Amino acid sequence: MEFKILILCDGKYGDRAAKVIKKKFNGTKIITIQERNPAEFIDDVDLGEQVERDIAHADLLIIYVRHPDVVAEICYRKKPTILAVDFGEGFLRQQREDNPTMIMPSSMCCITSKTGINEIDEYYRHFGYPLFEVKLQNSNGEIPIIREVKTIVESPCGATNVSLEHIRGKPLTPETITAFGLNVRYECREPVSILLSHRDMADSSALLQMISLLDALEKEAPKQFLQGTPMGIYASKRREEYQCPNPKSDLFAEVE
């Protein structure tokens, strides 16, 4: 039976995610509802008959809508739901009182563990925290070449896969990984957060993906990551940066 994902947006975010997700889940549909000023209070939200039908037929909702009142109304439908816009923990707690089968990740590429919600876990088998599989040439030599790299899990905005061209066939050096991270940052389509700017979230997403890639590379060529080696120093620095409350890197400051 086809797994049906419904992406709801208001025209700003979600279109590229729909294209990427549809490659793995063909039963993906995106609908755009009226954009409303997030600061405007809406007492009575009318989603419309077509939207209601689409919600009823979906197995999983992914919401990129930026108005909290509209989002709350959709959540009342009690469908397994991923909130792609971060409205804060207070909003999440309130909505989960009516719909416990919903989550609000800090970003759409940072989920790493099972949620216990079957529909969401099925989605996160393919999208979320990026995981890589790499193959190196001359892994016992001076500087290996990254012969092949593919994603097992990718970011839904597509930034992961479109950035792989920056590392295929390139030497395993800090410069190569930095080029990958900078492109992820540029391609990032992470939605807004009430706490962080888009730039902050793009920085965090790029660092996250760089670290996951470094983990895969270190597993393949551990000698290249020994303490004191260029890659060892580089990987340690990136992991240290990601432990900060608002992860960002000096690498990105250079391109501001």
Side-chain angles (χ1 to χ4, degrees):
M1 188 174 178
E2 190 174 54
F3 186 65
K4 297 179 180 178
I5 297 177
L6 179 64
I7 297 175
L8 299 106
C9 71
D10 54 17
K12 177 70 172 178
Y13 299 102
D15 56 335
R16 195 160 82 169
K19 294 176 183 177
V20 173
I21 294 169
K22 193 173 179 64
K23 293 178 182 178
K24 296 287 179 65
F25 297 105
N26 192 51
T28 297
K29 180 178 181 179
I30 183 171
I31 55 176
T32 303
I33 63 178
Q34 179 185 355
E35 181 179 1
R36 306 290 288 268
N37 181 355
E40 173 192 358
F41 174 73
I42 306 176
D43 185 41
D44 186 16
V45 177
D46 182 8
L47 297 175
E49 292 183 4
Q50 183 59 54
V51 175
E52 294 284 11
R53 282 196 295 269
D54 287 336
I55 291 174
H57 292 146
D59 298 304
L60 172 66
L61 307 181
I62 302 178
I63 305 178
Y64 284 87
V65 176
R66 292 167 292 159
H67 197 295
D69 293 335
V70 178
V71 172
E73 184 66 29
I74 297 171
C75 291
Y76 290 152
R77 302 308 181 267
K78 295 179 171 55
K79 286 281 185 175
T81 299
I82 300 172
L83 298 185
V85 178
D86 185 354
F87 292 102
E89 287 299 317
F91 181 87
L92 177 63
R93 285 194 299 270
Q94 184 178 18
Q95 300 312 313
R96 293 197 74 177
E97 291 178 2
D98 292 301
N99 181 6
T101 62
M102 62 176 291
I103 65 169
M104 186 180 66
S106 57
S107 79
M108 289 296 283
C109 60
C110 79
I111 293 295
T112 59
S113 59
K114 290 185 178 295
T115 65
I117 304 167
N118 292 337
E119 294 83 357
I120 294 177
D121 289 342
E122 174 62 20
Y123 167 83
Y124 278 121
R125 287 180 56 239
H126 302 279
F127 299 101
Y129 182 86
L131 295 175
F132 300 90
E133 185 177 281
V134 299
K135 293 182 180 179
L136 304 177
Q137 284 182 333
N138 304 321
S139 58
N140 294 321
E142 288 296 318
I143 300 180
I145 301 298
I146 303 172
R147 181 165 63 87
E148 186 53 70
V149 55
K150 65 178 182 179
T151 53
I152 301 170
V153 178
E154 64 174 302
S155 60
C157 73
T160 310
N161 274 344
V162 299
S163 301
L164 295 183
E165 64 184 68
H166 291 268
I167 54 179
R168 284 196 181 101
K170 302 294 177 62
L172 177 53
T173 63
E175 291 76 15
T176 296
I177 309 306
T178 296
F180 168 80
L182 289 173
N183 200 71
V184 168
R185 181 179 183 270
Y186 174 77
E187 294 287 346
C188 177
R189 296 296 183 271
E190 190 64 46
V192 295
S193 164
I194 65 167
L195 302 175
L196 302 174
S197 69
H198 174 75
R199 187 179 69 183
D200 290 334
M201 298 185 75
D203 286 356
S204 176
S205 176
L207 264 179
L208 174 74
Q209 299 202 39
M210 291 168 73
I211 290 169
S212 182
L213 177 61
L214 287 166
D215 289 344
L217 290 165
E218 184 172 8
K219 183 178 179 181
E220 190 73 10
K223 290 183 179 180
Q224 298 294 323
F225 288 81
L226 293 175
Q227 186 175 2
T229 63
M231 286 306 303
I233 295 170
Y234 181 87
S236 177
K237 178 64 174 176
R238 303 290 81 80
R239 289 162 180 156
E240 180 182 312
E241 289 169 341
Y242 194 71
Q243 296 304 313
C244 298
N246 183 10
K248 59 180 61 180
S249 174
D250 293 340
L251 297 173
F252 306 141
E254 297 174 3
V255 295
E256 291 300 334

